[in-house]
Amino acid sequence: MERRGNPESLSHVPDGLLVGAQIEPDTVNLQAHRIRWRVTWTSTSREHTKDGGHDETRGLRAMLIRVAARPSELSGIRAGVRAFVAQTGGDDRIADDLELVVSELATNVIEHTSADTISVLVERDGSGWVMEVADADDASMLDRVSLPPATSPTGRGLFVVRSLVDTLELIETATARAVRCTLSAS
Amino acid sequence: MSEVELDNQRFTVTSTATGWSISGEIDASTAPRLVEAVEQLPGHDGAIVLDVKDVSFIDSSGLRVLIALAERARGEGRTVELDNPSTSVVRLLEITGLADMFGLGEPPTT
């Protein structure tokens, strides 16, 4: 599958590459959502300033959320993603879709991995949005994207994700494994 | 009509004459408490109507609760119907093909 967007995926971004500033309330109105965690912006936005994206979005090209892998964090993760989409030119449809996608993928981290932390990287690139959620469980997970019987209580999360995104893949490095998906702007 | 109301900050369940009214977010965080809440509410005869117009968000974890409710009702010879479904609810049911289970299937064309 062709990769697009910023090559510095979540799995590759060391902490040293991150701008550790607190989110500015007047830049993204995250305080209204009672976000308790810190949001950091990747320094890769410097590259994007060259294509004019900096002016349109005040330099916001990527957002990294790292929170404890607890169900109580899901609502805040969704609010953060919605706020980012709104700040990067997305409409309600994009926000609705990415909100549902991140909720499903973050829930998978909680329920199917032993990770202590949920990491969500969202990037705005020229064609749309790229989202990576880590950790992911074993590589066979993307095979389980068919619908279960109607009466089955579980097994629909990845099917929902695949229904909403344009591409869905598992990326794997020596240190981490993440689900990566893309959603085009149009 | 029983005035039972359970407020868990992110969702509210209220007993109505024919079922329950649910509002707020239903995800892996709130779903377990939603199950507890519904179990505390008085039972209903006949079809159980869930007013979900104020469900602002639901994902497959929340859907799991609705399916469990529907299955339990069916075991008792009853049905669960969703009333006034919000766009979030409708979208998830359409994606998963479960609209029929909750009485939201396409009306027959004549």
Side-chain angles (χ1 to χ4, degrees):
Chain A
M1 190 176 294
E2 182 186 356
R3 287 178 63 92
R4 63 178 181 175
N6 198 303
E8 289 176 308
S9 65
L10 178 64
S11 316
H12 303 98
V13 177
D15 284 340
L17 266 184
L18 301 175
V19 178
Q22 293 280 341
I23 189 73
E24 296 176 25
D26 62 337
T27 304
V28 178
N29 188 23
L30 288 175
Q31 285 196 336
H33 302 290
R34 297 176 185 168
I35 303 293
R36 299 185 306 279
W37 25 266
R38 193 176 73 163
V39 177
T40 53
W41 307 108
T42 67
S43 61
T44 53
S45 62
R46 289 173 194 160
E47 292 184 7
H48 290 282
T49 61
K50 295 174 184 172
D51 62 14
H54 185 271
D55 289 338
E56 291 177 10
T57 65
R58 297 198 212 169
L60 305 186
R61 306 301 292 189
M63 179 178 72
L64 180 65
I65 300 169
R66 280 189 177 139
V67 294
R70 291 195 298 259
S72 57
E73 301 289 352
L74 292 170
S75 184
I77 293 172
R78 291 195 299 268
V81 168
R82 286 198 76 96
F84 179 78
V85 169
Q87 285 292 319
T88 51
D91 57 16
D92 282 347
R93 181 188 67 84
I94 299 287
D96 288 347
D97 286 353
L98 281 181
E99 175 184 41
L100 183 50
V101 166
V102 78
S103 197
E104 299 289 359
L105 293 178
T107 300
N108 279 353
V109 175
I110 296 168
E111 295 187 346
H112 298 300
T113 78
S114 57
D116 297 326
T117 304
I118 301 170
S119 299
V120 178
L121 175 68
V122 198
E123 285 182 275
R124 177 74 159 100
D125 69 8
S127 55
W129 286 263
V130 183
M131 177 185 284
E132 294 178 16
V133 181
D135 284 350
D137 62 357
D138 67 85
S140 64
M141 61 177 290
L142 294 186
D143 295 332
R144 303 198 302 266
V145 291
S146 58
L147 267 183
T151 54
S152 170
T154 60
R156 292 180 180 78
L158 276 177
F159 180 85
V160 170
V161 170
R162 173 160 271 183
S163 301
L164 296 171
V165 300
D166 295 316
T167 68
L168 177 66
E169 64 183 320
L170 197 71
I171 58 173
E172 195 162 3
T173 72
T175 56
R177 190 183 281 141
V179 176
R180 185 176 197 271
C181 55
T182 61
L183 189 63
S184 66
S186 57
Chain B
M1 173 174 159
S2 176
E3 289 295 328
V4 176
E5 178 163 318
L6 296 154
D7 190 339
N8 281 282
Q9 295 186 326
R10 301 226 334 263
F11 74 93
T12 303
V13 183
T14 310
S15 179
T16 66
T18 54
W20 309 297
S21 175
I22 304 171
S23 63
E25 302 174 353
I26 314 179
D27 60 11
S29 175
T30 58
R33 289 179 289 160
L34 175 60
V35 172
E36 293 173 11
V38 167
E39 286 175 347
Q40 292 177 40
L41 293 169
H44 293 273
D45 295 327
I48 300 167
V49 179
L50 300 185
D51 187 328
V52 288
K53 71 174 181 297
D54 292 322
V55 172
S56 56
F57 177 83
I58 184 170
D59 60 14
S60 63
S61 297
L63 181 60
R64 193 182 306 174
V65 177
L66 299 185
I67 292 171
L69 287 175
E71 284 301 294
R72 194 173 71 181
R74 193 167 71 168
E76 299 167 353
R78 298 184 296 165
T79 59
V80 169
E81 295 177 5
L82 299 183
D83 196 19
N84 300 316
S86 64
T87 55
S88 180
V89 172
V90 170
R91 184 174 61 145
L92 187 61
L93 291 177
E94 286 178 346
I95 291 171
T96 55
L98 292 177
D100 287 345
M101 177 182 276
F102 299 100
L104 293 174
E106 289 290 324
T109 54
T110 55

